[in-house]
């Protein structure tokens, strides 16, 4: 024991390792699912105007301007259905802090977003990974509770696979669970459906969203929760007082009001994604059809790590992921057409 030891539970935790963020300019960056396009021009001018605003004052503690605009755009009954956060990672932190106590349990599918495990570890809680079945379906037991289970996380679309679980299935899972089911919709803007309607029908279905991916604002840090108002009010009590800063709130409000921009960018990215999937398949990869802005692929040669290194040497950064017993592969974010052409050309060169 030393005077500066952290809590015992923290000595066992697995820290979350984010994807590499090299200095800008050197790499074609296809490793962290950022938007390759700049954010809406209205966001840039809103931030510029805000620079002369009341920066000496604390911001609105609940980002009301954003919540009003988002409720309107998303067709929710009112702003009290939304909790704004410093990125959706902060929303996930608030949820785990609110629901999962020491010794209790959080459930997540496998393979999926590893951060959930870290958040449970920080609480001194346990986590349980339920493997996806073939075809990326969930087993019935994913929706079955036990006395310790306090929170279930489901990224939909999932990362790294880009696959989706249907709203019907999600509704069934939530009905049989004894706790909240959090549908992490970080990538839902790239998919054909989302679960916002289900939040209004079921008090234990919660949706989290981020402006980091589809809105091109990963650098700004803004995300939000959609849940029933009584729960939003309770969770609001356990967030940091000023969790959304003045500039981020202004940027996020302008972004959510840019739905035409969003539709254009999503269409561009999904078109590039289709082309990328076709080409990767022709090169010999097994490609999982994606509903997100990235593609999960494996190659029969198994040379994923070497290919990742080769691409990196050639200034192209993709994500190599190793889920030990389950297997490894590459998750490639959908970039601009030029970026993806360069990446595909380099991959072909590697195999020739
Ligand atoms: C990127 C990502 C997030 C994090 O979003 P931020 O708003 O940038 O914190 C959350 N969940 C999943 C599954 C993600 O891939």
């Amino acid at each position: 024991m030393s005077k500066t030891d952290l809590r015992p539970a923290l000595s066992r935790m697995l820290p979350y390792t984010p994807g590499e963020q090299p200095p800008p300019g050197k790499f074609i960056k296809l490793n962290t699912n950022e938007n390759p396009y700049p954010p809406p021009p209205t966001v840039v001018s809103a931030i510029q105007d805000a620079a002369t605003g009341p920066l000496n004052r604390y911001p609105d503690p609940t980002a009301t301007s954003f919540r009003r605009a988002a409720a309107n755009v998303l067709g929710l009954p009112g702003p009290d259905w939304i909790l704004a956060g410093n990125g959706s990672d902060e929303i996930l932190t608030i949820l785990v802090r609110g629901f999962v106590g020491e010794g209790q349990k959080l459930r997540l599918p496998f393979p999926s977003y590893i951060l959930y495990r870290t958040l449970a570890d920080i609480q001194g809680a346990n986590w349980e990974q339920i493997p996806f079945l073939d075809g990326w379906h969930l087993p019935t037991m994913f929706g079955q509770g036990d006395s310790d289970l306090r929170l279930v996380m489901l990224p939909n679309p999932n990362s790294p696979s880009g696959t989706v679980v249907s709203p019907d299935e999600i509704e069934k899972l939530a009905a049989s669970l004894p706790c909240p089911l959090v549908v992490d919709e970080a990538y839902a803007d790239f998919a054909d459906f989302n679960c916002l309607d289900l939040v209004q029908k079921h008090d234990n279905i919660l949706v989290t969203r981020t402006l980091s991916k589809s809105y091109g604002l990963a650098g700004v840090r803004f995300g939000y929760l959609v849940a029933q108002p009584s729960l939003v009010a309770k969770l609001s009590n356990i967030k940091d007082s000023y969790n959304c800063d003045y500039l981020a709130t202004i940027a996020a409000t302008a972004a959510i009001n840019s739905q035409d921009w969003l539709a254009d960018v999503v269409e561009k990215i999904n078109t590039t994604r289709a082309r990328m999937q076709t080409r990767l398949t022709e090169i010999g990869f097994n490609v999982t059809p994606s509903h997100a802005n990235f593609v999960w692929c494996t190659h029969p040669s198994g040379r994923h790590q070497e290919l990742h290194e080769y691409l990196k040497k050639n200034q192209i950064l993709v994500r190599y992921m190793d889920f030990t017993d389950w297997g490894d592969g590459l998750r490639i974010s959908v970039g601009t057409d030029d970026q993806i052409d360069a990446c595909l050309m380099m991959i072909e060169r590697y195999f020739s």
Side-chain angles (χ1 to χ4, degrees):
M1 270 298 270
S2 99
K3 291 188 183 182
T4 55
D5 278 348
L6 300 184
R7 287 186 286 122
L10 298 180
S11 62
R12 297 187 298 271
M13 77 172 254
L14 300 168
Y16 176 72
T17 323
E20 248 177 288
Q21 293 292 353
K26 189 164 184 285
F27 287 92
I28 293 179
K29 202 171 168 305
L30 305 172
N31 67 331
T32 49
N33 302 342
E34 292 141 326
N35 199 315
Y37 301 105
T42 50
V43 170
V44 179
S45 55
I47 296 174
Q48 278 162 346
D49 294 347
T52 53
L55 297 182
N56 56 324
R57 303 295 179 198
Y58 283 108
D60 173 357
T62 61
T64 312
S65 66
F66 172 81
R67 292 186 302 114
R68 285 215 182 101
N72 185 33
V73 163
L74 302 172
L76 294 165
D80 50 344
W81 289 69
I82 298 173
L83 177 71
N86 182 30
S88 70
D89 283 351
E90 191 213 7
I91 296 292
L92 299 172
T93 299
I94 292 171
L95 290 169
V96 176
R97 189 194 285 169
F99 287 110
V100 196
E102 201 162 337
Q104 297 180 326
K105 193 163 73 186
L106 172 148
R107 176 181 291 162
L108 66 156
F110 177 82
S112 82
Y113 193 38
I114 320 276
L115 176 74
Y116 309 135
R117 305 197 321 210
T118 307
L119 297 178
D121 287 342
I122 293 171
Q123 290 294 105
N126 301 315
W127 45 263
E128 160 184 88
Q129 301 188 123
I130 309 289
F132 277 104
L133 304 172
D134 282 352
W136 298 92
H137 294 290
L138 286 169
T140 326
M141 72 144 307
F142 193 82
Q144 279 160 4
D146 57 53
S147 56
D148 292 337
L149 187 66
R150 282 297 130 87
L151 195 62
V152 177
M153 300 297 209
L154 179 64
N156 205 45
N158 185 48
S159 172
S161 58
T163 52
V164 283
V165 174
S166 74
D168 278 358
E169 245 179 294
I170 287 175
E171 214 167 2
K172 282 193 198 113
L173 293 167
S176 57
L177 281 170
C179 66
L181 173 60
V182 177
V183 185
D184 180 344
E185 292 195 344
Y187 302 104
D189 287 328
F190 302 102
D192 301 331
F193 56 80
N194 63 62
C195 289
L196 282 187
D197 288 347
L198 297 186
V199 176
Q200 294 189 54
K201 282 167 65 185
H202 304 278
D203 64 1
N204 72 328
I205 298 184
L206 283 47
V207 165
T208 63
R209 292 272 179 94
T210 176
L211 275 70
S212 298
K213 314 285 169 44
S214 53
Y215 289 91
L217 288 174
V220 160
R221 311 307 304 136
F222 205 95
Y224 60 98
L225 169 77
V226 181
Q228 297 203 354
S230 57
L231 179 58
V232 167
K234 283 188 263 182
L235 290 170
S236 190
N237 292 334
I238 60 167
K239 73 175 186 65
D240 289 349
S241 310
Y242 302 107
N243 59 332
C244 298
D245 71 72
Y246 177 72
L247 297 175
T249 303
I250 282 178
T253 308
I256 203 86
N257 281 325
S258 308
Q259 292 301 303
D260 291 345
W261 177 93
L262 178 70
D264 284 351
V265 162
V266 164
E267 189 185 310
K268 258 198 287 193
I269 288 176
N270 287 356
T271 304
T272 308
R273 177 180 76 195
R275 208 165 58 78
M276 187 176 158
Q277 294 186 144
T278 306
R279 203 64 207 109
L280 285 167
T281 308
E282 285 165 4
I283 299 171
F285 282 88
N286 297 309
V287 178
T288 309
S290 171
H291 300 259
N293 65 335
F294 54 83
V295 172
W296 174 253
C297 57
T298 59
H299 194 270
S301 69
R303 289 158 66 188
H304 308 123
Q305 195 161 16
E306 290 157 79
L307 174 55
H308 164 262
E309 288 308 314
Y310 176 83
L311 292 173
K312 192 170 169 181
K313 276 202 199 92
N314 288 283
Q315 279 75 53
I316 298 169
L317 214 48
V318 301
R319 190 77 165 262
Y320 169 73
M321 293 178 131
D322 184 5
F323 295 94
T324 50
D325 295 342
W326 184 82
D328 64 351
L330 296 178
R331 194 192 68 186
I332 308 176
S333 306
V334 181
T336 63
D337 280 318
D338 287 352
Q339 291 174 331
I340 292 305
D341 286 342
C343 177
L344 290 168
M345 197 192 74
M346 209 52 80
I347 291 175
E348 284 177 72
R349 190 183 295 175
Y350 175 79
F351 283 114
S352 66

